[in-house]
């Protein structure tokens, strides 16, 4: 295993050095499954399917990752909503959000707008503890290698604001426990950049497929060294906060939404999404 790791890293270093201006774009499609058990046993299968249909735009998305040797920007491709199929307003991208990474500065900035306020979530990029394997498969024209790790998910679980009141005791018992997720990445040393979709990076090649918890991201198109030079802009508009501070702010807001949702349910009717 150690020899495999050294070989990959050596290949990555040589390839990167030989292509100082290496850059490109990668398009991804993303699909997230929802844990319907959070809604309790009150919903029928028909109601659950209706819920999934309304949440489709929130659970199925496409993204574009632009990258150079030292920087990358991951941004959602925003489409016009189809009438009657739009999901919840919270957590929806307005076309301005992105995740910026700088390998040179070891800094990640998530640009996001929530509850009509713009935030820049600034985090230090510590080297991910990937476990490299010799397992391979083919994605398009690229041979990809498997890497795995288990991490704590520190992002906000927006779906929890709709959990049923009957599940509160169970949720209270677990709210202080860290949410751990298993991550599986498939990367290609043929594309010599240490970049990837969402918040993931740190492998000796571009990540073309990612499975993290309930979310799967798959690269559908790659454009390398386009004629038009790629310029990646570092986000600079918004209130700078650390992840812990941002989570605290959003949790307070989502708790308010949860109370409203449950209150409407107790008032004789179901809350609308």
């Amino acid at each position: 295993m150690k020899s495999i790791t050294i070989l990959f890293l050596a290949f990555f270093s040589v390839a990167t050095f030989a292509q100082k201006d290496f850059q490109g774009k990668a398009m991804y499609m993303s699909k997230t499954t929802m844990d319907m058990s959070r809604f309790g046993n009150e919903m029928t299968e028909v109601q659950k399917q209706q819920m999934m249909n309304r949440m489709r735009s929130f659970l199925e998305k496409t993204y574009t990752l632009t990258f150079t040797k030292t920087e990358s920007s991951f941004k959602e491709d925003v489409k016009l909503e189809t009438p009657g199929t739009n999901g919840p307003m919270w957590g929806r991208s307005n076309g301005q959000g992105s995740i910026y990474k700088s390998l040179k500065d070891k800094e990640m900035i998530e640009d996001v707008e929530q509850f009509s306020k713009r935030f820049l979530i600034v985090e230090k990029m510590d080297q991910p503890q990937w476990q490299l394997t010799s397992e391979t498969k083919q994605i398009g024209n690229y041979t990809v290698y498997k890497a795995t790790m288990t991490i704590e998910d520190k992002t906000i679980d927006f779906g929890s604001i709709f959990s049923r009141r009957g599940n509160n005791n169970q949720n209270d018992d677990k709210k202080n426990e860290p949410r751990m997720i298993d991550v599986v990445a498939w990367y290609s040393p043929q594309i010599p950049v240490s970049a990837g979709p969402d918040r993931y990076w740190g492998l000796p090649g571009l990540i073309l497929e990612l499975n993290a918890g309930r979310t799967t991201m798959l690269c559908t198109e790659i454009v390398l060294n386009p004629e038009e030079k790629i310029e990646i802009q570092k986000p600079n508009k918004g209130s700078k906060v650390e992840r812990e501070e941002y989570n605290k702010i959003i949790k307070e807001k989502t708790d308010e939404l949860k109370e409203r949702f449950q209150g409407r349910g107790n008032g004789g009717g179901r809350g609308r999404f």
Side-chain angles (χ1 to χ4, degrees), residues 88-252:
M89 291 302 296
W90 46 263
R92 185 187 301 172
S93 171
N94 59 3
Q96 298 176 334
S98 65
I99 298 178
Y100 167 86
K101 305 186 194 84
S102 171
L103 295 179
K104 180 179 179 181
D105 298 330
K106 295 296 182 183
E107 182 180 59
M108 182 186 305
I109 302 176
E110 184 173 355
D111 172 11
V112 62
E113 184 172 327
Q114 294 290 357
F115 304 105
S116 302
K117 186 173 182 178
R118 193 80 170 270
F119 295 94
L120 296 179
I121 309 168
V122 182
E123 297 180 81
K124 180 182 177 182
M125 291 173 61
D126 295 321
Q127 179 65 37
Q129 299 302 303
W130 292 105
Q131 299 296 316
L132 305 185
T133 76
S134 59
E135 185 176 346
T136 66
K137 68 177 182 178
Q138 203 75 12
I139 296 181
N141 296 323
Y142 298 95
T143 299
V144 294
Y145 293 80
K146 183 179 180 180
T148 65
M149 67 175 173
T150 299
I151 62 171
E152 179 181 354
D153 184 4
K154 296 182 180 181
T155 60
I156 292 291
D157 180 13
F158 283 102
S160 65
I161 69 174
F162 292 126
S163 60
R164 295 295 184 185
R165 187 177 296 274
N167 293 336
N168 278 357
N169 291 336
Q170 181 180 359
N171 291 339
D172 289 342
D173 293 338
K174 294 184 177 181
K175 66 181 180 180
N176 293 323
E177 296 180 6
R179 288 186 293 125
M180 307 302 293
I181 59 172
D182 294 325
V183 182
V184 177
W186 295 88
Y187 66 96
S188 175
Q190 294 171 259
I191 308 175
V193 291
S194 184
D198 201 44
R199 299 162 49 79
Y200 298 94
W201 65 286
L203 286 166
L206 181 66
I207 298 173
L208 299 188
E209 182 179 330
L210 183 81
N211 298 280
R214 292 181 173 273
T215 298
T216 297
M217 293 186 177
L218 178 64
C219 182
T220 57
E221 183 181 352
I222 299 174
V223 179
L224 299 179
N225 296 320
E227 292 184 4
E228 184 177 350
K229 186 177 180 180
I230 291 176
E231 297 289 345
I232 296 177
Q233 300 295 327
K234 181 177 180 179
N236 57 14
K237 295 182 180 180
S239 300
K240 287 188 176 182
V241 293
E242 294 183 352
R243 172 65 61 180
E244 185 176 350
E245 180 183 357
Y246 171 78
N247 285 354
K248 182 179 179 181
I249 294 171
I250 300 305
K251 185 179 185 304
E252 292 175 355

Side-chain angles (χ1 to χ4, degrees), residues 77-90:
D77 303 323
V78 179
K79 300 178 181 178
L80 293 176
E81 298 286 354
T82 302
T85 61
N86 55 304
M89 291 302 296
W90 46 263

Side-chain angles (χ1 to χ4, degrees), residues 19-37:
Q19 304 180 60
K20 292 183 179 180
D21 297 325
F22 191 84
Q23 56 183 234
K25 292 184 178 181
M27 281 57 80
Y28 295 83
M29 63 177 183
S30 170
K31 186 172 184 178
T32 301
T33 58
M34 178 180 288
D35 180 11
M36 299 304 292
S37 65

